[in-house]
Amino acid sequence: MQKTKTLNLHSKIANDTLYYIYKYIDTDINIDDLAKEFKVSKFHLHKVFKEQMQANIYETIKSIRLQKASSLLLSNQHSTITQIS
């Protein structure tokens, strides 16, 4: 029972972290603030996120930002690369 409870908690932390990243992708996302938000240590947050998502938090943030930028470049014909970056 304890193992299932722990797995569920880890899954919730990882999913909530991913939601937070998508919600605040346009801001400076600070891992210390994320850890405080979810009431875990920074080390534990990194470990749980990597375990659940198979990618570290920094790689995920970078990937999401690049996806968003490429989408904006394709869909917003009047914006320049400098404006989007």
Side-chain angles (χ1 to χ4, degrees):
M1 183 67 179
Q2 183 64 26
K3 188 173 185 175
T4 303
K5 188 176 177 181
T6 301
L7 287 174
N8 288 341
L9 179 61
H10 285 185
S11 179
K12 180 173 176 18
I13 289 170
N15 285 326
D16 288 351
T17 301
L18 195 57
Y19 175 77
Y20 182 98
I21 291 168
Y22 272 103
K23 186 175 179 180
Y24 297 105
I25 197 66
D26 293 330
T27 66
D28 183 28
I29 298 172
N30 184 313
I31 303 303
D32 292 323
D33 294 339
L34 267 173
K36 286 178 191 172
E37 176 81 20
F38 301 115
K39 297 175 179 69
V40 296
S41 73
K42 187 166 63 169
F43 173 77
H44 187 67
L45 180 63
H46 275 288
K47 180 180 174 238
V48 167
F49 191 86
K50 178 123 182 158
E51 172 187 288
Q52 294 289 315
M53 301 296 180
Q54 284 76 47
N56 78 34
I57 294 172
Y58 295 112
E59 289 171 352
T60 302
I61 292 169
K62 184 169 69 171
S63 176
I64 293 168
R65 284 188 174 144
L66 287 171
Q67 288 171 6
K68 183 175 181 181
S70 70
S71 176
L72 286 171
L73 283 170
L74 292 172
S75 64
N76 196 343
Q77 308 251 336
H78 302 291
S79 293
T80 65
I81 292 173
T82 305
Q83 290 171 324
I84 289 174
S85 69

